[in-house]
Amino acid sequence: MENDRQTRHGEPPPPTLPPNARQPINRCNLPAVILGSLSFQRHPVALEIDGIRDLHAGLFRMLDGLPDATERAQRFMDYMTVWFLLEEPEEAGSMPDRKKPARIKANYRRLVRGWSFDSDGREGAVLKRWVESRFGLLARHHAGSLLERGGECYQRYLYEGSRGLYATNALESQLDLLYAYCQYELARAHPEQSHVRLYRGINRIDEHEILERAERSRYRVLLNNLNSFTRERERADEFGDYILEVEVPLAKVFCYNQLLPGLLRGEDEYVVIGGVYEVRISTL
């Protein structure tokens, strides 16, 4: 509808998600071409990974009866521990091997903390591949450009993602439930809010894939399929000479620091699902 209106008024439609940035199928209630578009940034709707809320309906009914966010966070972590047997790896099928550290100990919290320390590391590869699978948005960068699918950097990305999942206990399913819980908490805390304003420090705008320059300080860019931002502008200037400011749909927030105690390193860090965004660039 929005594209049609702009075309009738003689303006070009906003850039959509390029074909080489998306997969034809995903495990979400919207296809990648929609959820990754500029129109989605402007007019977001709730995103749900197939079957997660139904499978864990009992958890969310329990959370509904708890008014305190701290208690809900503790109950969620307890639920994750029990459901995924996080403290009983042998019950989940782990075969202890003293020669090699057991990957069964990898869990959602360690994965997100690993992302916070190095988004181009093994944990980052697992998370980016999870976004590809669930939302259909292809990673654009991981320790180098991933645009050349047959290149060494892309092959290393695939290897790191596979190695990070090997011998783990339903790690991607843990991420599914973490995202669902994040969306539950955001909807409960901000029932009338659709976006959150976030910031990212950069050194050059050409660090990102520019699709179009909208006006002097506004650009339409294609972000990587998973990105870190901060809610505090003052923190963003620690990471670059320019500030990238963006209105992020709450539906695209994968997790944030205050969701669970000690989840992320940065006090106001938000991990955001990518796609096409209109952003504003400003100086310090």
Side-chain angles (χ1 to χ4, degrees):
M1 290 293 292
E2 182 179 77
N3 288 6
D4 293 340
R5 286 197 299 270
Q6 288 190 321
T7 301
R8 285 197 300 268
H9 285 84
E11 299 178 9
T16 188
L17 190 67
N20 69 347
R22 63 181 189 259
Q23 296 189 133
I25 58 173
N26 61 16
R27 294 184 55 185
C28 186
N29 58 322
L30 288 178
V33 69
I34 294 177
L35 69 87
S37 70
L38 182 62
S39 293
F40 186 89
Q41 183 198 12
R42 293 172 173 172
H43 308 288
V45 298
L47 296 176
E48 292 189 11
I49 298 172
D50 296 343
I52 297 303
R53 288 296 292 261
D54 291 335
L55 179 61
H56 301 283
L59 166 66
F60 293 102
R61 282 196 299 269
M62 176 187 66
L63 296 176
D64 285 340
L66 301 176
D68 181 65
T70 301
E71 185 178 0
R72 292 197 300 273
Q74 185 60 56
R75 292 291 188 93
F76 171 76
M77 291 187 292
D78 292 344
Y79 182 92
M80 294 286 280
T81 298
V82 173
W83 184 272
F84 293 104
L85 301 171
L86 299 183
E87 295 181 354
E88 301 174 308
E90 289 77 15
E91 292 294 323
S94 172
M95 299 294 289
D97 184 347
R98 294 183 179 181
K99 296 180 181 180
K100 297 180 180 180
R103 284 294 295 154
I104 198 71
K105 294 181 180 179
N107 59 50
Y108 69 105
R109 291 178 63 85
R110 292 188 180 190
L111 200 67
V112 174
R113 282 200 296 267
W115 160 275
S116 188
F117 281 101
D118 181 11
S119 61
D120 285 331
R122 180 175 61 185
E123 291 82 2
V126 172
L127 283 166
K128 291 168 188 175
R129 293 196 67 185
W130 173 79
V131 173
E132 291 184 342
S133 168
R134 272 45 178 180
F135 300 97
L137 301 176
L138 295 175
R140 314 294 289 171
H141 186 280
H142 185 80
S145 174
L146 300 180
L147 300 187
E148 185 182 345
R149 287 296 188 249
E152 180 181 347
C153 190
Y154 185 72
Q155 296 304 315
R156 186 169 59 250
Y157 163 67
L158 294 181
Y159 171 75
E160 287 294 313
S162 299
R163 189 167 70 98
L165 285 177
Y166 178 73
T168 60
N169 179 24
L171 193 51
E172 289 183 309
S173 295
Q174 294 180 41
L175 299 177
D176 293 342
L177 190 50
L178 176 62
Y179 172 74
Y181 174 66
C182 175
Q183 291 300 302
Y184 172 87
E185 284 295 318
L186 288 172
R188 187 159 177 171
H190 311 286
E192 304 299 324
Q193 188 174 329
S194 61
H195 293 76
V196 58
R197 181 172 297 170
L198 299 178
Y199 305 91
R200 180 184 178 96
I202 62 173
N203 290 312
R204 304 183 313 275
I205 182 58
D206 59 9
E207 293 176 359
H208 297 79
E209 292 183 63
I210 302 172
L211 300 180
E212 183 180 349
R213 184 168 181 170
E215 52 187 60
R216 182 176 180 181
S217 61
R218 292 188 177 274
Y219 297 81
R220 290 163 185 167
V221 301
L222 175 58
L223 296 181
N224 204 4
N225 70 346
L226 200 63
N227 313 267
S228 284
F229 285 84
T230 178
R231 193 160 188 176
E232 297 298 324
R233 191 181 190 281
E234 291 74 17
R235 295 297 305 275
D237 64 21
E238 299 174 8
F239 301 95
D241 298 326
Y242 296 90
I243 304 296
L244 191 75
E245 177 185 319
V246 57
E247 298 291 334
V248 174
L250 291 179
K252 282 195 169 183
V253 176
F254 163 58
C255 64
Y256 56 100
N257 178 267
Q258 296 179 358
L259 181 66
L260 298 173
L263 184 63
L264 290 161
R265 182 176 58 170
E267 294 182 0
D268 295 290
E269 185 176 357
Y270 279 63
V271 183
V272 171
I273 297 165
V276 179
Y277 285 84
E278 185 167 281
V279 304
R280 180 176 177 269
I281 305 295
S282 59
T283 55
L284 303 182

